[in-house]
Amino acid sequence: MSLFSLEGKVALITGSTKGIGKAIAQRMAEQGATVVISSRNQDACDEVAAEITARGNKAIGVACNINHKDQLQQLVEKTTAALGKIDVLVCNAALNPFFGKSQDIPDEAFDKIMQANIGSVHRLCQLVIPGIAESGGGAVVIISSIGGLKGTDALGAYAISKAADMQIARNLAVEWGPKNVRVNCIAPGLVRTDFAKALWENPDIYAATVKNYPLRRIGEPDEIAGAAVFLASQAGSFTTGQTLVIDGGGTIAS
Amino acid sequence: MNNAGANWGAPLADYPDAGFAKVMDTNLNAVFALTRDLVPALARAASADSPSRIINIGSMDGIHVPIVQRVPTFAYSASKAALHHLTKAFAVELGAQHITANAIAPGFFESKMTDHVFEHYLADIEDDCPLHRVGRPEEIVGILVYLASRAGSYTNGTVIPVDGGTSISKGKREWTL
């Protein structure tokens, strides 16, 4: 069997109706996993799940607003009721409602970012990891960002939340390693998604960004998906607590 | 893929110049010279959609100095830290020619190089690793396949530890000192 096979595995991916999350779900399904598509809107979840099953792969859709703990609980309950277990958790859903200086961010926006981007990851890990451990082990992949590696005067609160993702991965890797649960982050650079549209659609921002990227272009969602498959599969079975940077070299160049 | 490497262990006061130079020559200087000379060939085979790859085998020892006590390997750690940075310098220099450069930083794996260490310190090594074991050969192969394939075509200038979490953990025994 391929080192990258996910045959027989159940993978729950938050924020998976678009962008990076969708690419991860499609590629994990291609490797044999049954994937759970999740975002706020049930119709959108069902639509993506149908796209995947139409290709002969396995998927179901379960809507969830990650900001509510009871909905996270229901997401886990519905998944285990339908599929019996969870082997792989991908915490991908995140938001950024504010672009500007830390001095100017309203309390509500700051709290919302921390709640959605850190709180929900922490709580979902609490809800899911014991079950992963019970079934013999598995993997958690948290989608962080290179924003969490450097200072910024435009995305401060978002960057704090993304740096926190990396520490969550390190803490949980130490806490759950003895039970064979691995926890890692992926830190993408600028990727062509709706989430980052404001940054790549503007030709001036685009040009300024890729000028500093050694590969001279932004990333595509599929270029993040392969790393998630690696981390979730046997290929990644000795990798834990790490942050894998995928940014065409942007971070090491500047 | 630059994999060949050497090691030399000795206490600091007795650490020979020749040993230090030999390790640097094999682990760093040779990688630089070989890669420089192969760049024209790599560039000819590269395109934006399918970049050519340089993959260097670094080491967890180039990221941190392990808590596990053993014969000190000054040149090895220094050469691997330098190799990690050389990888990043290659990534910046060669990105425009559609060549990526990345390094793997393995922790403890069974090999001829680690036989002696495992004989004396296996329990300590396992204690310091969150997964409580050493690595298996296929666990290095997986990341190499990833980096060499289309899946890894936007990954550039990274140093990827494959060490069961050893380098990010404070290590069990440190808590009890």
Side-chain angles (χ1 to χ4, degrees), chain A residues 56-77:
Chain A
N57 298 317
K58 299 179 283 288
I60 63 168
V62 181
C64 172
N65 180 336
I66 57 163
N67 294 304
H68 300 289
K69 190 170 181 179
D70 55 333
Q71 290 200 28
L72 290 173
Q73 243 153 359
Q74 283 168 17
L75 171 64
V76 174
E77 280 161 16

Side-chain angles (χ1 to χ4, degrees), chain A residues 53 83 126 211:
Chain A
T53 51
L83 303 170
Q126 278 186 328
K211 191 172 80 137

Side-chain angles (χ1 to χ4, degrees), chain A residues 3-4 27 169-171 173-174 176-182 189-191 213-220 222-224 226-228 230 234-250 252-254, chain B residues 48 51 87-89 91-92 94-96 98-100 107-109 129-136 138-143 145-146 150-151 153-170 172:
Chain A
L3 281 173
F4 296 88
R27 295 302 182 172
R170 286 188 285 263
N171 291 344
V174 171
W176 287 99
K179 300 283 187 196
N180 198 30
V181 181
R182 298 174 298 100
L190 189 52
V191 174
Y213 280 21
L215 293 183
R216 302 289 192 273
R217 62 179 179 86
I218 65 170
E220 301 296 333
D222 253 353
E223 294 179 303
I224 307 302
F230 161 72
Q234 198 202 338
S237 60
F238 203 48
T239 303
T240 193
Q242 304 304 326
T243 296
L244 192 49
V245 175
I246 304 180
D247 66 349
I252 54 106
S254 44
Chain B
T87 305
K88 297 178 189 183
V92 172
L94 302 173
H98 310 305
I99 300 170
T100 70
F108 283 106
F109 279 75
C129 175
L131 292 182
H132 286 217
R133 61 179 177 85
V134 299
R136 308 180 189 110
E138 72 265 24
E139 292 174 318
I140 282 297
V141 178
I143 187 71
V145 172
Y146 161 72
R150 194 155 65 88
S153 59
Y154 200 54
T155 302
N156 191 21
T158 63
V159 177
I160 302 172
V162 181
D163 64 357
T166 302
S167 64
I168 55 99
S169 168
K170 281 175 68 68
K172 274 246 179 320

Side-chain angles (χ1 to χ4, degrees), chain A residues 121-143:
Chain A
V121 169
H122 168 71
R123 280 186 276 280
L124 196 53
C125 285
Q126 278 186 328
L127 288 166
V128 172
I129 293 180
I132 297 179
E134 217 167 277
S135 57
V140 177
V141 179
I142 303 169
I143 307 303

Side-chain angles (χ1 to χ4, degrees), chain A residues 12 19 33 45 64 98 108 119 145-147 181 196 206 212 224 233 243 245:
Chain A
L12 168 57
C45 296
C64 172
F98 185 80
E108 302 72 44
S145 163
I146 57 166
V181 181
Y206 183 91
N212 293 321
I224 307 302
S233 66
T243 296
V245 175

Side-chain angles (χ1 to χ4, degrees), chain B residues 60-77:
Chain B
M60 171 178 83
D61 287 15
I63 297 173
H64 79 163
V65 179
I67 304 166
V68 172
Q69 294 300 308
R70 54 196 171 88
V71 182
T73 55
F74 299 99
Y76 187 78
S77 306

